[in-house]
Amino acid sequence: MSDTGTAVPRADDHHGLRRSLGFRDLLVYGLLFIAPMAPVGVFGALDARSHGAVALVYLIATVAMAFTAFSYAQMVRVVPQAGSVFAYARVALGNEAGFVAGWMAMLDYLLIPAVAYLFSGIAMEALVPEVSRWVWTALAVVVTTLLNLWGVRAAARVGFAVLAMEIVVLLVFVVCAIVVLARDGAERGWLSPLSGDGTQGAFALSAVVGAVSIAVLSYLGFDAIATFAEEVTGGSAKVARAVLLCLALAGVLFVAQTYLVALLTPVPSAELAADPARQGSAFYDAVNASVGSWLHDLVAVSKAIGAAFAALAGQAAAGRLLFAMGRDRRLPRALSRTDGGVPRVALLCAAVITLVAAVWAARREDGMDHLVSVVDIGALTAFTLLHASVPAWFVVRRGGPVSWWRHVLVPVLGAAITVAVIVEASGAAQVVGAVWLAAGLVVLAVQRGRRTSGEAG
């Protein structure tokens, strides 16, 4: 029993998951979900908003998200369960807070794969325009869902091959960029990716901080590693290390590629800011102009395949969250059923919801804008409750030896960062987040009413 009076399910109970993942598999899932070339699609927007200091933006964003990764590392050792932040908040803050954390994280885990599937569909339509993007989007959902239903280990093997391909393409870009810079020099100052290109005036910290609120979205997904805590061999410490290492690797990759592409970009940040239509293709345009169309096409193909498998990792994480909430009877109990250690009911449920959202967005011109505007609110709210769980468990509940910097200072700073990013989010995202939260509170009230009636009867 936990301190909240709720039984903590074990990985080997009737509704258990099969332990088959190693440390490398965890890293594969985390990096797949994040995507090594995640900055490709948002480089132009960040470059314009930060006045050219895009590498500094990712450096600060990596440090900011490190607080969240550290809180995950603390709690996964305490509650090594598939529900991740749902389980952590439930044990440390109580059942109601756990439900809210899981409910808000569910919004993130169900919509981020939809965005990734849509990215894949858009990229494939650009390569094969005869086939509509919604067809490619639906096909990507079907293929990756079948892999997830096959089993977490099989999906991890295929995912490793895709991740290796993405890393190779990224390395090709890095080598080509270095060769071009050594031969022809940089289009901007060598320190401009860290200090700004000067075309929008002097360095402005407020502009960089505003861009950070967008850049942190590139990191959403590293936390999915924690949802596989009941399927890893070797204990929860391995999960904690994987979370921290995954974020560190993503930070290095993001800073390196944005630094190089910023040096190759012939368009000043002021021009990108004045012409938003050019921002989406800014990364591709820089590659095409400096290296050639062949690398442009290679990056596009890698992005199409990588996005689909980022969605695979996201769908797998969503399935584990639904599984855990079903097992705790916060969602229908059927979601906690497993077949050969695979939560197929939860996975299918996540796949159907994601398919509907992705295809709906693919059939609309403004579909991407609608999805992207809301995906971060759920995760950031859940992260805030994660940070609150750390001092609640170690300091208030006395769940273990207290370290004031690990269990108080870091989570308090982490919570301040996530709240600040929520405040900086778009009005539409805040409205959707509030509506989703209100719906969750209604569900929670209904569940509480049923339990009260049952106890009275």
Side-chain angles (χ1 to χ4, degrees):
M1 299 287 286
S2 73
D3 287 353
T4 61
T6 302
V8 178
R10 300 172 306 182
D12 57 352
D13 68 5
H14 180 67
H15 291 275
L17 299 169
R18 179 184 298 165
R19 292 191 180 275
S20 58
L21 295 178
F23 184 77
R24 189 193 75 174
D25 300 318
L26 295 175
L27 282 179
V28 167
Y29 269 106
L31 288 174
L32 266 180
F33 200 170
I34 291 176
M37 299 189 76
V40 168
V42 296
F43 167 77
L46 294 178
D47 191 55
R49 186 159 182 173
S50 67
H51 300 183
V54 65
L56 177 62
V57 167
Y58 272 107
L59 186 62
I60 295 174
T62 302
V63 174
M65 294 310 297
F67 289 95
T68 297
F70 196 82
S71 288
Y72 266 106
Q74 301 309 304
M75 292 306 297
V76 75
R77 291 183 170 94
V78 175
V79 191
Q81 293 178 28
S84 184
V85 66
F86 160 69
Y88 309 153
R90 178 176 62 85
V91 169
L93 300 172
N95 290 326
E96 287 74 15
F99 174 82
V100 171
W103 182 264
M104 297 306 293
M106 187 166 36
L107 179 64
D108 168 51
Y109 282 168
L110 292 175
L111 289 186
I112 281 187
V115 173
Y117 284 128
L118 183 52
F119 268 128
S120 183
I122 292 172
M124 288 304 299
E125 184 185 43
L127 296 171
V128 188
E130 295 81 9
V131 180
S132 176
R133 73 177 65 174
W134 77 264
V135 176
W136 289 116
T137 300
L139 182 62
V141 176
V142 171
V143 171
T144 53
T145 299
L146 290 175
L147 282 171
N148 271 326
L149 293 175
W150 189 6
V152 67
R153 182 63 178 157
R157 289 194 186 107
V158 178
F160 178 76
V162 173
L163 181 63
M165 178 271 296
E166 292 187 85
I167 296 295
V168 168
V169 172
L170 182 55
L171 289 177
V172 169
F173 161 73
V174 169
V175 171
C176 290
I178 292 174
V179 169
V180 170
L181 290 170
R183 183 188 64 202
D184 303 328
E187 294 286 345
R188 301 181 181 179
W190 289 97
L191 293 179
S192 64
L194 297 171
S195 61
D197 64 356
T199 62
Q200 298 185 65
F203 175 81
L205 181 60
S206 60
V208 172
V209 172
V212 168
S213 68
I214 300 175
V216 295
L217 304 184
S218 299
Y219 296 84
L220 296 184
F222 76 91
D223 54 298
I225 291 174
T227 65
F228 299 99
E230 293 180 33
E231 295 164 90
V232 64
T233 59
S236 58
K238 187 179 291 185
V239 180
R241 291 196 304 272
V243 169
L244 295 170
L245 181 57
C246 180
L247 179 66
L249 290 174
V252 170
L253 294 175
F254 291 174
V255 171
Q257 66 188 277
T258 52
Y259 177 84
L260 291 172
V261 78
L263 295 178
L264 296 174
T265 301
V267 182
S269 67
E271 288 188 25
L272 286 175
D275 188 5
R278 301 174 65 181
Q279 295 175 10
S281 61
F283 193 108
Y284 295 105
D285 293 342
V287 170
N288 191 50
S290 60
V291 180
S293 59
W294 67 271
L295 184 56
H296 170 282
D297 294 342
L298 184 62
V299 171
V301 171
S302 174
K303 186 66 176 174
I305 298 174
F309 279 84
L312 174 143
Q315 185 192 91
R320 270 67 187 177
L321 177 60
L322 294 177
F323 161 83
M325 294 184 74
R327 183 174 60 184
D328 198 49
R329 301 195 178 185
R330 290 296 179 175
L331 290 177
R333 182 71 168 170
L335 292 172
S336 66
R337 294 176 184 168
T338 59
D339 181 9
V342 179
R344 290 194 169 93
V345 175
L347 284 171
L348 283 172
C349 183
V352 169
I353 296 172
T354 301
L355 174 64
V356 171
V359 171
W360 171 84
R363 295 177 67 89
R364 295 174 57 98
E365 289 298 323
D366 58 352
M368 178 63 76
D369 292 337
H370 282 294
L371 281 181
V372 171
S373 67
V374 300
V375 296
D376 58 327
I377 290 296
L380 292 169
T381 305
F383 289 168
T384 303
L385 288 170
L386 161 72
H387 290 303
S389 299
V390 178
W393 175 258
F394 287 97
V395 179
V396 178
R397 294 188 179 277
R398 300 290 181 180
V402 177
S403 168
W404 288 103
W405 75 270
R406 285 189 302 166
H407 302 143
V408 179
L409 180 61
V410 170
V412 167
L413 291 175
I417 291 170
T418 54
V419 169
V421 177
I422 291 174
V423 172
E424 288 289 330
S426 68
Q430 292 172 345
V431 169
V432 171
V435 170
W436 182 255
L437 175 60
L441 294 177
V442 170
V443 173
L444 185 61
V446 170
Q447 291 180 348
R448 186 183 300 163
R450 287 177 178 174
R451 287 197 173 101
T452 302
S453 300
E455 291 172 0

